[in-house]
Amino acid sequence: MKSFILTHKLMIILCCLTLFLIISIVSISFGMVEPETPDFTLGVVNTDFLNLRTGPGIDFDSIGILTKNAYLRIYGKIGDWYIVQNDNNQIGSVHSKYVSEAQEPKASVSNIEVIEETSSINNTTEENQLLDLINAERSKNHIPALSIDDALQNVARLKAQDLVQNNYFSHTSPTYGTPFEMLKNNHISYKTASENIAGNSSIEGAVSSWMNSASHKENILSNDYNYTGIAVVDSIAYGKIIVELFVGK
Protein backbone atom coordinates (compact mmCIF):
# COMPACT_ATOMS: atom_id res chain seq x y z
CA MET A 1 0.00 0.00 0.00
CA LYS A 2 2.80 2.43 0.92
CA SER A 3 4.62 1.62 -2.29
CA PHE A 4 1.34 2.16 -4.23
CA ILE A 5 0.83 5.61 -2.64
CA LEU A 6 4.45 6.53 -3.13
CA THR A 7 4.24 5.48 -6.78
CA HIS A 8 1.15 7.65 -7.29
CA LYS A 9 2.73 10.61 -5.52
CA LEU A 10 5.69 10.41 -7.86
CA MET A 11 3.34 10.23 -10.83
CA ILE A 12 1.41 13.26 -9.58
CA ILE A 13 4.62 15.23 -9.09
CA LEU A 14 5.86 14.25 -12.56
CA CYS A 15 2.53 15.20 -14.12
CA CYS A 16 2.61 18.59 -12.40
CA LEU A 17 6.16 19.27 -13.57
CA THR A 18 5.27 18.23 -17.12
CA LEU A 19 2.21 20.48 -17.14
CA PHE A 20 4.27 23.40 -15.81
CA LEU A 21 6.87 22.95 -18.54
CA ILE A 22 4.22 22.76 -21.27
CA ILE A 23 2.57 25.95 -20.03
CA SER A 24 5.95 27.71 -19.88
CA ILE A 25 6.88 26.64 -23.41
CA VAL A 26 3.53 27.64 -24.83
CA SER A 27 3.75 31.01 -23.10
CA ILE A 28 7.22 31.64 -24.49
CA SER A 29 6.35 30.39 -27.99
CA PHE A 30 3.14 32.30 -28.39
CA GLY A 31 3.76 35.29 -26.15
CA MET A 32 3.26 38.72 -27.72
CA VAL A 33 4.51 42.09 -26.56
CA GLU A 34 1.58 44.33 -25.71
CA PRO A 35 1.97 47.80 -27.30
CA GLU A 36 2.26 50.67 -24.85
CA THR A 37 0.18 53.84 -25.08
CA PRO A 38 2.41 56.61 -26.53
CA ASP A 39 2.81 59.96 -24.78
CA PHE A 40 1.58 61.76 -27.91
CA THR A 41 -0.31 60.82 -31.07
CA LEU A 42 1.21 63.26 -33.56
CA GLY A 43 4.96 63.26 -34.07
CA VAL A 44 7.47 65.04 -36.26
CA VAL A 45 10.69 63.53 -37.63
CA ASN A 46 13.74 65.22 -36.04
CA THR A 47 16.48 63.70 -38.22
CA ASP A 48 17.33 64.25 -41.90
CA PHE A 49 16.17 60.83 -43.10
CA LEU A 50 14.36 58.13 -41.13
CA ASN A 51 13.65 54.55 -42.19
CA LEU A 52 9.99 53.50 -42.07
CA ARG A 53 10.24 49.78 -41.31
CA THR A 54 7.81 46.88 -41.45
CA GLY A 55 8.39 46.08 -37.77
CA PRO A 56 9.96 47.36 -34.54
CA GLY A 57 13.68 46.77 -35.19
CA ILE A 58 16.49 47.26 -37.69
CA ASP A 59 16.13 43.64 -38.83
CA PHE A 60 12.81 44.55 -40.47
CA ASP A 61 12.75 45.81 -44.07
CA SER A 62 12.52 49.51 -44.89
CA ILE A 63 9.43 50.49 -46.90
CA GLY A 64 10.40 54.13 -47.37
CA ILE A 65 12.25 57.09 -45.94
CA LEU A 66 10.73 59.97 -44.00
CA THR A 67 12.42 63.35 -44.23
CA LYS A 68 13.03 65.89 -41.48
CA ASN A 69 9.95 67.76 -40.19
CA ALA A 70 7.59 65.18 -41.70
CA TYR A 71 4.52 64.39 -39.58
CA LEU A 72 3.43 60.94 -38.37
CA ARG A 73 0.37 59.57 -36.64
CA ILE A 74 1.48 57.46 -33.67
CA TYR A 75 -0.73 54.58 -32.54
CA GLY A 76 1.43 52.70 -30.07
CA LYS A 77 4.92 51.94 -28.81
CA ILE A 78 6.82 48.64 -28.62
CA GLY A 79 10.07 49.02 -26.72
CA ASP A 80 11.93 51.93 -28.33
CA TRP A 81 9.83 51.84 -31.51
CA TYR A 82 6.65 53.72 -32.45
CA ILE A 83 3.86 52.20 -34.53
CA VAL A 84 3.05 54.93 -37.05
CA GLN A 85 1.04 55.78 -40.15
CA ASN A 86 2.28 57.94 -43.01
CA ASP A 87 0.40 60.03 -45.54
CA ASN A 88 0.13 57.08 -47.94
CA ASN A 89 -1.72 55.15 -45.22
CA GLN A 90 1.22 52.77 -44.79
CA ILE A 91 1.59 51.34 -41.30
CA GLY A 92 5.16 50.86 -40.09
CA SER A 93 7.62 51.40 -37.27
CA VAL A 94 10.22 54.09 -36.57
CA HIS A 95 12.70 54.47 -33.74
CA SER A 96 11.30 56.79 -31.07
CA LYS A 97 14.65 58.58 -30.74
CA TYR A 98 14.08 60.26 -34.09
CA VAL A 99 10.49 61.42 -33.51
CA SER A 100 9.46 64.43 -31.37
CA GLU A 101 6.03 65.57 -30.28
CA ALA A 102 4.35 67.87 -32.78
CA GLN A 103 1.48 70.31 -32.56
CA GLU A 104 -1.69 69.42 -34.42
CA PRO A 105 -1.47 71.08 -37.85
CA LYS A 106 -4.34 73.23 -39.12
CA ALA A 107 -4.97 70.89 -42.00
CA SER A 108 -4.79 67.13 -42.14
CA VAL A 109 -1.40 65.45 -42.00
CA SER A 110 -0.69 66.04 -45.66
CA ASN A 111 2.87 67.27 -45.51
CA ILE A 112 4.42 63.86 -44.86
CA GLU A 113 7.19 63.25 -47.34
CA VAL A 114 7.92 59.60 -48.01
CA ILE A 115 10.67 58.92 -50.49
CA GLU A 116 9.95 55.90 -52.66
CA GLU A 117 11.57 54.53 -55.77
CA THR A 118 8.85 55.98 -58.03
CA SER A 119 8.82 59.47 -56.51
CA SER A 120 10.62 62.59 -57.68
CA ILE A 121 13.21 63.41 -55.03
CA ASN A 122 14.14 66.95 -54.10
CA ASN A 123 17.84 67.28 -53.34
CA THR A 124 19.02 69.15 -50.28
CA THR A 125 21.34 72.16 -50.62
CA GLU A 126 24.32 70.08 -49.47
CA GLU A 127 23.52 67.29 -51.93
CA ASN A 128 23.36 69.80 -54.78
CA GLN A 129 26.64 71.31 -53.56
CA LEU A 130 28.32 67.91 -53.65
CA LEU A 131 26.98 67.17 -57.13
CA ASP A 132 28.28 70.53 -58.41
CA LEU A 133 31.74 69.90 -56.97
CA ILE A 134 31.91 66.38 -58.42
CA ASN A 135 30.79 67.56 -61.86
CA ALA A 136 33.27 70.43 -61.70
CA GLU A 137 36.08 67.90 -61.25
CA ARG A 138 34.75 65.89 -64.20
CA SER A 139 34.50 69.05 -66.32
CA LYS A 140 38.15 69.89 -65.63
CA ASN A 141 39.02 66.50 -67.10
CA HIS A 142 36.60 66.85 -70.06
CA ILE A 143 34.30 64.12 -68.75
CA PRO A 144 30.48 64.44 -69.10
CA ALA A 145 28.57 65.46 -66.00
CA LEU A 146 26.76 62.92 -63.84
CA SER A 147 22.96 63.05 -63.66
CA ILE A 148 20.95 62.39 -60.51
CA ASP A 149 18.90 59.20 -60.62
CA ASP A 150 15.96 59.13 -58.17
CA ALA A 151 16.27 55.41 -57.43
CA LEU A 152 19.99 55.78 -56.75
CA GLN A 153 19.25 58.79 -54.56
CA ASN A 154 16.91 56.66 -52.47
CA VAL A 155 19.53 53.93 -52.01
CA ALA A 156 22.25 56.46 -51.11
CA ARG A 157 20.00 57.96 -48.42
CA LEU A 158 19.20 54.52 -47.02
CA LYS A 159 22.93 53.78 -46.77
CA ALA A 160 23.84 57.17 -45.24
CA GLN A 161 21.16 56.94 -42.59
CA ASP A 162 22.16 53.34 -41.85
CA LEU A 163 25.79 54.43 -41.33
CA VAL A 164 24.68 57.04 -38.79
CA GLN A 165 22.01 55.06 -36.98
CA ASN A 166 24.10 51.90 -36.63
CA ASN A 167 27.39 53.70 -35.95
CA TYR A 168 29.73 52.01 -38.44
CA PHE A 169 31.87 53.11 -41.38
CA SER A 170 32.12 50.53 -44.13
CA HIS A 171 30.98 49.85 -47.69
CA THR A 172 29.25 46.73 -46.38
CA SER A 173 26.14 47.44 -44.32
CA PRO A 174 25.13 45.00 -41.55
CA THR A 175 21.55 45.85 -42.53
CA TYR A 176 21.61 45.95 -46.34
CA GLY A 177 24.83 44.19 -47.38
CA THR A 178 27.17 45.46 -50.11
CA PRO A 179 26.34 48.41 -52.42
CA PHE A 180 25.75 45.90 -55.22
CA GLU A 181 23.28 43.95 -53.08
CA MET A 182 21.49 47.19 -52.24
CA LEU A 183 21.19 48.06 -55.94
CA LYS A 184 19.89 44.59 -56.76
CA ASN A 185 17.39 44.56 -53.89
CA ASN A 186 16.08 47.95 -55.02
CA HIS A 187 15.66 46.69 -58.60
CA ILE A 188 18.29 49.00 -60.12
CA SER A 189 19.92 47.64 -63.26
CA TYR A 190 23.42 48.74 -64.23
CA LYS A 191 26.49 47.84 -66.26
CA THR A 192 29.04 49.22 -63.78
CA ALA A 193 28.72 50.57 -60.24
CA SER A 194 30.76 51.81 -57.30
CA GLU A 195 30.40 53.76 -54.06
CA ASN A 196 32.28 56.54 -52.28
CA ILE A 197 31.66 57.22 -48.58
CA ALA A 198 33.12 59.94 -46.38
CA GLY A 199 32.97 61.28 -42.85
CA ASN A 200 33.86 64.95 -42.86
CA SER A 201 32.90 68.29 -41.32
CA SER A 202 32.22 69.85 -44.73
CA ILE A 203 31.25 68.96 -48.30
CA GLU A 204 34.38 70.60 -49.68
CA GLY A 205 36.55 68.62 -47.27
CA ALA A 206 34.94 65.34 -48.31
CA VAL A 207 35.47 65.99 -52.03
CA SER A 208 39.07 67.09 -51.38
CA SER A 209 39.74 63.85 -49.47
CA TRP A 210 38.22 61.79 -52.27
CA MET A 211 40.32 63.55 -54.90
CA ASN A 212 43.46 62.81 -52.86
CA SER A 213 42.59 59.10 -52.77
CA ALA A 214 43.38 57.12 -55.93
CA SER A 215 40.40 54.75 -55.73
CA HIS A 216 37.87 57.46 -54.86
CA LYS A 217 39.26 59.80 -57.53
CA GLU A 218 38.99 57.01 -60.08
CA ASN A 219 35.27 56.67 -59.34
CA ILE A 220 34.71 60.43 -59.66
CA LEU A 221 36.57 60.75 -62.97
CA SER A 222 35.43 57.52 -64.59
CA ASN A 223 33.81 57.66 -68.03
CA ASP A 224 32.05 54.41 -67.17
CA TYR A 225 29.50 56.23 -64.98
CA ASN A 226 26.73 58.54 -66.11
CA TYR A 227 24.31 58.48 -63.14
CA THR A 228 24.73 59.15 -59.43
CA GLY A 229 22.87 59.15 -56.14
CA ILE A 230 24.01 61.42 -53.31
CA ALA A 231 23.14 61.63 -49.60
CA VAL A 232 24.42 63.92 -46.84
CA VAL A 233 23.36 63.20 -43.24
CA ASP A 234 24.47 64.95 -40.04
CA SER A 235 26.68 62.79 -37.84
CA ILE A 236 27.80 63.27 -34.24
CA ALA A 237 31.00 61.31 -34.91
CA TYR A 238 32.10 63.01 -38.16
CA GLY A 239 30.03 66.13 -38.60
CA LYS A 240 28.57 64.75 -41.82
CA ILE A 241 28.28 61.32 -43.37
CA ILE A 242 28.36 61.45 -47.16
CA VAL A 243 27.47 58.66 -49.58
CA GLU A 244 27.73 58.80 -53.36
CA LEU A 245 26.76 55.94 -55.64
CA PHE A 246 28.06 55.85 -59.22
CA VAL A 247 26.31 53.80 -61.91
CA GLY A 248 26.83 53.26 -65.59
CA LYS A 249 23.77 52.26 -67.62
Side-chain angles (χ1 to χ4, degrees):
M1 178 63 72
K2 289 183 178 180
S3 61
F4 177 80
I5 294 172
L6 180 60
T7 300
H8 278 68
K9 282 185 176 180
L10 289 173
M11 289 178 63
I12 291 170
I13 292 171
L14 288 172
C15 287
C16 289
L17 287 173
T18 302
L19 181 62
F20 175 77
L21 287 172
I22 290 173
I23 292 172
S24 299
I25 292 171
V26 169
S27 298
I28 293 170
S29 300
F30 296 94
M32 297 178 67
V33 178
E34 190 71 21
E36 304 172 22
T37 301
D39 295 330
F40 47 88
T41 58
L42 183 66
V44 61
V45 177
N46 59 29
T47 188
D48 289 330
F49 307 108
L50 178 62
N51 283 300
L52 177 65
R53 297 186 181 276
T54 56
I58 62 173
D59 292 332
F60 290 91
D61 292 335
S62 174
I63 56 176
I65 304 178
L66 303 172
T67 57
K68 193 170 186 177
N69 297 324
Y71 287 91
L72 292 171
R73 291 291 180 188
I74 303 174
Y75 295 105
K77 188 178 182 183
I78 298 177
D80 293 327
W81 294 77
Y82 285 135
I83 303 166
V84 302
Q85 181 182 30
N86 65 24
D87 198 39
N88 291 334
N89 292 321
Q90 291 176 299
I91 303 295
S93 294
V94 295
H95 198 287
S96 59
K97 177 181 177 182
Y98 303 106
V99 177
S100 303
E101 184 176 7
Q103 298 299 316
E104 191 77 27
K106 294 180 181 179
S108 60
V109 186
S110 59
N111 56 341
I112 294 177
E113 299 176 63
V114 179
I115 299 169
E116 298 176 334
E117 291 180 0
T118 57
S119 66
S120 179
I121 299 175
N122 293 321
N123 298 337
T124 67
T125 301
E126 290 179 319
E127 288 166 352
N128 284 329
Q129 181 185 2
L130 181 62
L131 178 63
D132 289 343
L133 290 173
I134 294 297
N135 280 334
E137 294 294 342
R138 291 173 69 90
S139 178
K140 291 176 188 176
N141 291 271
H142 310 290
I143 302 169
L146 295 171
S147 299
I148 287 287
D149 179 276
D150 282 0
L152 282 176
Q153 196 78 342
N154 185 38
V155 174
R157 288 176 173 178
L158 282 174
K159 178 61 176 290
Q161 193 64 34
D162 190 55
L163 285 164
V164 173
Q165 289 185 353
N166 294 306
N167 194 30
Y168 72 98
F169 192 82
S170 170
H171 288 292
T172 301
S173 162
T175 310
Y176 303 111
T178 68
F180 311 106
E181 289 172 324
M182 291 187 72
L183 294 175
K184 178 181 177 181
N185 292 335
N186 283 274
H187 312 292
I188 298 173
S189 59
Y190 61 92
K191 294 179 181 178
T192 56
S194 63
E195 177 188 70
N196 281 0
I197 59 175
N200 206 290
S201 59
S202 70
I203 305 301
E204 296 90 343
V207 174
S208 177
S209 295
W210 283 346
M211 291 303 293
N212 286 315
S213 165
S215 59
H216 294 90
K217 181 178 180 179
E218 183 179 352
N219 289 337
I220 292 171
L221 300 182
S222 175
N223 256 318
D224 292 335
Y225 305 128
N226 50 3
Y227 291 97
T228 188
I230 293 169
V232 181
V233 178
D234 290 337
S235 164
I236 296 175
Y238 299 98
K240 299 180 189 300
I241 282 289
I242 301 161
V243 173
E244 181 166 16
L245 289 167
F246 302 85
V247 159
K249 295 185 180 183

